[in-house]
Amino acid sequence: MSNNAGLFSSSLGRKYLMAITGLFLCSFLLVHLIGNVALYTDPVKFNEYTRFMSSNPLIRVMEIILVVGFLAHIIDAVLLTKANKAAQPVKYAMDKKNSSWYSRNMGLTGSIILAFLVLHLQSFWYQYKFGEVVYVLDSNGESIKDMYTIVITAFQQSWYAGIYVIAMVLLGSHLNHGFQSAFQSVGLRHKKYTPTIKKLGTAFSVLITLGFISFPIYFYFSQL
Ligand code: HEM
């Protein structure tokens, strides 16, 4: 690829874009997980958190960046995989033997996470914006949409909770490889730091997986 081709049309540029959008999505996941902890502590606080997420202007801007980031991440993943296969078909086949399951199945786990997201956004985000959600009172005595009941009712269905558990395990696998790979793509590859970054990536994916998995498991079993 020529140097004149421009950063984002080159394979290196695409790697950077993948890494930056991936790390942005990681930070979104952390904020989303922290917000969801209110499901355990206080239904009113959780409803106030979802209202904040849906109405705060700064969050709206972040939402647009998030959607663009998601699309860029997905399109780049497809382009990068095609370019890798076309450039080095033999090396690609050999790499299969020497690489981890996580790294070889980024496309598969990413596609399942995308399918999960369609279900997730339909049941919560779409429901919040356009569905018929019952109103309750917030901490100031004003009307607020009761997303708490929507979420726990969803998790009380075994098939729905089951899909979340499977999707979260695959999300963990995707993050476990993606996190350290993103740092390498932006040039942070060093004998001294790479093992620490890998450990950090694994710790992050375990935290995200166990954190998100805990909600469907807790609310499913607490009704029995
Ligand atoms: C399992 C626990 C989860 C719960 C209880 C949960 C709950 C919710 C709720 C209630 C909303 C709608 C209100 C809002 O915007 O905050 C929402 C939105 C969203 N969730 Fe989740 N979520 C979970 C996991 C995830 C995961 C694992 C992902 C990503 C892989 C994700 C991605 C999103 C996205 C992208 C939105 C739309 C955000 C926006 O722009 O408003 N969620 N979630």
Side-chain angles (χ1 to χ4, degrees):
M1 182 87 39
S2 111
N3 284 342
N4 301 329
L7 183 64
F8 291 111
S9 57
S10 72
S11 145
L12 185 67
R14 286 210 292 268
K15 275 192 170 186
Y16 265 92
L17 193 59
M18 276 292 282
I20 292 161
T21 52
L23 290 175
F24 178 76
L25 295 173
C26 283
S27 54
F28 164 78
L29 281 175
L30 196 59
V31 173
H32 196 28
L33 178 62
I34 294 169
N36 284 345
V37 170
L39 278 170
Y40 289 137
T41 56
D42 186 348
V44 176
K45 278 229 161 62
F46 182 75
N47 287 334
E48 288 175 345
Y49 154 71
T50 52
R51 179 178 55 193
F52 174 79
M53 292 293 280
S54 312
S55 55
N56 183 282
L58 194 69
I59 303 284
R60 304 311 295 271
V61 174
M62 293 293 281
E63 254 179 30
I64 296 168
I65 300 175
L66 189 68
V67 171
V68 175
F70 258 123
L71 291 178
H73 192 78
I74 294 161
I75 293 167
D76 263 15
V78 174
L79 293 178
L80 209 59
T81 310
K82 272 193 179 164
N84 280 349
K85 277 189 183 169
Q88 298 165 310
V90 178
K91 182 174 176 295
Y92 198 82
M94 292 214 353
D95 274 353
K96 282 190 171 181
K97 287 185 190 148
N98 306 323
S99 55
S100 66
W101 188 92
Y102 309 109
S103 64
R104 271 184 283 124
N105 290 287
M106 290 300 275
L108 176 71
T109 51
S111 308
I112 297 173
I113 294 163
L114 182 64
F116 155 79
L117 258 181
V118 173
L119 173 75
H120 179 58
L121 293 182
Q122 196 280 329
S123 27
F124 296 156
W125 179 85
Y126 183 86
Q127 198 65 12
Y128 183 90
K129 301 259 180 198
F130 310 107
E132 284 183 14
V133 183
V134 169
Y135 281 87
V136 286
L137 295 182
D138 69 6
S139 50
N140 296 319
E142 285 166 14
S143 288
I144 190 169
K145 286 188 179 176
D146 186 13
M147 282 309 286
Y148 174 82
T149 304
I150 300 273
V151 171
I152 62 159
T153 309
F155 289 157
Q156 284 171 348
Q157 303 165 81
S158 55
W159 69 270
Y160 194 85
I163 287 180
Y164 266 66
V165 171
I166 296 167
M168 293 309 102
V169 171
L170 296 174
L171 174 66
S173 158
H174 196 80
L175 291 174
N176 189 31
H177 177 73
F179 190 93
Q180 52 106 6
S181 169
F183 279 91
Q184 291 201 2
S185 297
V186 294
L188 285 171
R189 188 199 293 254
H190 191 281
K191 262 205 310 242
K192 210 165 140 193
Y193 307 116
T194 301
T196 312
I197 290 173
K198 277 192 178 171
K199 279 188 196 134
L200 214 69
T202 303
F204 180 76
S205 10
V206 170
L207 171 80
I208 292 291
T209 304
L210 294 183
F212 278 120
I213 245 178
S214 72
F215 303 109
I217 291 183
Y218 177 82
F219 289 109
Y220 179 72
F221 284 105
S222 62
Q223 65 168 336
L224 299 179

mmCIF file of all heavy atoms in Angstrom, residues 152 156 215-224:
data_model
loop_
_atom_site.group_PDB
_atom_site.id
_atom_site.type_symbol
_atom_site.label_atom_id
_atom_site.label_comp_id
_atom_site.label_asym_id
_atom_site.label_seq_id
_atom_site.Cartn_x
_atom_site.Cartn_y
_atom_site.Cartn_z
ATOM 1 N N ILE A 152 -35.695 -6.342 34.814
ATOM 2 C CA ILE A 152 -35.756 -7.577 35.621
ATOM 3 C C ILE A 152 -36.802 -8.564 35.071
ATOM 4 O O ILE A 152 -36.606 -9.761 35.134
ATOM 5 C CB ILE A 152 -35.921 -7.344 37.142
ATOM 6 C CG1 ILE A 152 -37.220 -6.640 37.449
ATOM 7 C CG2 ILE A 152 -34.769 -6.593 37.758
ATOM 8 C CD1 ILE A 152 -37.607 -6.893 38.910
ATOM 9 N N GLN A 156 -36.066 -12.519 33.949
ATOM 10 C CA GLN A 156 -36.754 -13.625 34.629
ATOM 11 C C GLN A 156 -37.191 -14.718 33.655
ATOM 12 O O GLN A 156 -37.712 -15.749 34.057
ATOM 13 C CB GLN A 156 -37.933 -13.079 35.447
ATOM 14 C CG GLN A 156 -37.404 -12.406 36.718
ATOM 15 C CD GLN A 156 -38.445 -11.653 37.491
ATOM 16 O OE1 GLN A 156 -39.543 -11.419 37.002
ATOM 17 N NE2 GLN A 156 -38.109 -11.255 38.707
ATOM 18 N N PHE A 215 -26.079 -9.933 36.268
ATOM 19 C CA PHE A 215 -27.458 -9.398 36.293
ATOM 20 C C PHE A 215 -28.498 -10.440 35.873
ATOM 21 O O PHE A 215 -29.427 -10.707 36.638
ATOM 22 C CB PHE A 215 -27.572 -8.124 35.429
ATOM 23 C CG PHE A 215 -26.625 -7.033 35.849
ATOM 24 C CD1 PHE A 215 -25.531 -6.691 35.063
ATOM 25 C CD2 PHE A 215 -26.814 -6.360 37.052
ATOM 26 C CE1 PHE A 215 -24.648 -5.698 35.454
ATOM 27 C CE2 PHE A 215 -25.938 -5.357 37.450
ATOM 28 C CZ PHE A 215 -24.840 -5.027 36.646
ATOM 29 N N PRO A 216 -28.353 -11.053 34.657
ATOM 30 C CA PRO A 216 -29.367 -12.055 34.301
ATOM 31 C C PRO A 216 -29.398 -13.229 35.281
ATOM 32 O O PRO A 216 -30.475 -13.730 35.617
ATOM 33 C CB PRO A 216 -28.952 -12.520 32.891
ATOM 34 C CG PRO A 216 -27.587 -12.017 32.668
ATOM 35 C CD PRO A 216 -27.403 -10.838 33.562
ATOM 36 N N ILE A 217 -28.208 -13.655 35.765
ATOM 37 C CA ILE A 217 -28.185 -14.801 36.686
ATOM 38 C C ILE A 217 -28.908 -14.440 38.000
ATOM 39 O O ILE A 217 -29.772 -15.167 38.472
ATOM 40 C CB ILE A 217 -26.729 -15.263 36.951
ATOM 41 C CG1 ILE A 217 -26.157 -15.884 35.665
ATOM 42 C CG2 ILE A 217 -26.665 -16.265 38.108
ATOM 43 C CD1 ILE A 217 -24.772 -16.438 35.778
ATOM 44 N N TYR A 218 -28.572 -13.272 38.538
ATOM 45 C CA TYR A 218 -29.160 -12.872 39.821
ATOM 46 C C TYR A 218 -30.683 -12.742 39.716
ATOM 47 O O TYR A 218 -31.426 -13.293 40.516
ATOM 48 C CB TYR A 218 -28.545 -11.552 40.300
ATOM 49 C CG TYR A 218 -29.168 -11.052 41.575
ATOM 50 C CD1 TYR A 218 -28.766 -11.556 42.803
ATOM 51 C CD2 TYR A 218 -30.207 -10.111 41.546
ATOM 52 C CE1 TYR A 218 -29.368 -11.126 43.985
ATOM 53 C CE2 TYR A 218 -30.803 -9.676 42.714
ATOM 54 C CZ TYR A 218 -30.378 -10.182 43.928
ATOM 55 O OH TYR A 218 -30.976 -9.759 45.089
ATOM 56 N N PHE A 219 -31.147 -12.020 38.678
ATOM 57 C CA PHE A 219 -32.588 -11.772 38.601
ATOM 58 C C PHE A 219 -33.366 -13.018 38.179
ATOM 59 O O PHE A 219 -34.523 -13.175 38.547
ATOM 60 C CB PHE A 219 -32.890 -10.569 37.703
ATOM 61 C CG PHE A 219 -32.472 -9.288 38.365
ATOM 62 C CD1 PHE A 219 -31.373 -8.575 37.913
ATOM 63 C CD2 PHE A 219 -33.148 -8.827 39.478
ATOM 64 C CE1 PHE A 219 -30.962 -7.415 38.549
ATOM 65 C CE2 PHE A 219 -32.750 -7.663 40.129
ATOM 66 C CZ PHE A 219 -31.654 -6.954 39.662
ATOM 67 N N TYR A 220 -32.712 -13.905 37.418
ATOM 68 C CA TYR A 220 -33.395 -15.147 37.067
ATOM 69 C C TYR A 220 -33.596 -16.006 38.321
ATOM 70 O O TYR A 220 -34.691 -16.466 38.608
ATOM 71 C CB TYR A 220 -32.627 -15.937 35.993
ATOM 72 C CG TYR A 220 -33.338 -17.222 35.659
ATOM 73 C CD1 TYR A 220 -34.527 -17.216 34.939
ATOM 74 C CD2 TYR A 220 -32.867 -18.453 36.149
ATOM 75 C CE1 TYR A 220 -35.225 -18.383 34.689
ATOM 76 C CE2 TYR A 220 -33.562 -19.626 35.889
ATOM 77 C CZ TYR A 220 -34.741 -19.584 35.155
ATOM 78 O OH TYR A 220 -35.439 -20.731 34.921
ATOM 79 N N PHE A 221 -32.498 -16.192 39.087
ATOM 80 C CA PHE A 221 -32.588 -17.090 40.243
ATOM 81 C C PHE A 221 -33.327 -16.466 41.428
ATOM 82 O O PHE A 221 -33.889 -17.190 42.243
ATOM 83 C CB PHE A 221 -31.190 -17.581 40.651
ATOM 84 C CG PHE A 221 -30.686 -18.638 39.700
ATOM 85 C CD1 PHE A 221 -29.715 -18.355 38.753
ATOM 86 C CD2 PHE A 221 -31.232 -19.922 39.715
ATOM 87 C CE1 PHE A 221 -29.283 -19.325 37.850
ATOM 88 C CE2 PHE A 221 -30.806 -20.898 38.815
ATOM 89 C CZ PHE A 221 -29.836 -20.593 37.884
ATOM 90 N N SER A 222 -33.358 -15.143 41.503
ATOM 91 C CA SER A 222 -34.017 -14.536 42.677
ATOM 92 C C SER A 222 -35.547 -14.695 42.609
ATOM 93 O O SER A 222 -36.221 -14.503 43.613
ATOM 94 C CB SER A 222 -33.629 -13.061 42.818
ATOM 95 O OG SER A 222 -34.068 -12.367 41.691
ATOM 96 N N GLN A 223 -36.100 -15.022 41.453
ATOM 97 C CA GLN A 223 -37.570 -15.189 41.360
ATOM 98 C C GLN A 223 -37.993 -16.626 41.708
ATOM 99 O O GLN A 223 -39.166 -16.902 41.888
ATOM 100 C CB GLN A 223 -38.015 -14.887 39.938
ATOM 101 C CG GLN A 223 -37.446 -15.908 39.003
ATOM 102 C CD GLN A 223 -38.024 -15.898 37.603
ATOM 103 O OE1 GLN A 223 -39.121 -15.445 37.379
ATOM 104 N NE2 GLN A 223 -37.255 -16.405 36.655
ATOM 105 N N LEU A 224 -37.010 -17.587 41.761
ATOM 106 C CA LEU A 224 -37.391 -19.001 41.918
ATOM 107 C C LEU A 224 -37.781 -19.337 43.356
ATOM 108 O O LEU A 224 -37.346 -18.708 44.290
ATOM 109 C CB LEU A 224 -36.228 -19.914 41.465
ATOM 110 C CG LEU A 224 -35.797 -19.768 39.992
ATOM 111 C CD1 LEU A 224 -34.626 -20.701 39.692
ATOM 112 C CD2 LEU A 224 -36.930 -20.041 39.022
#
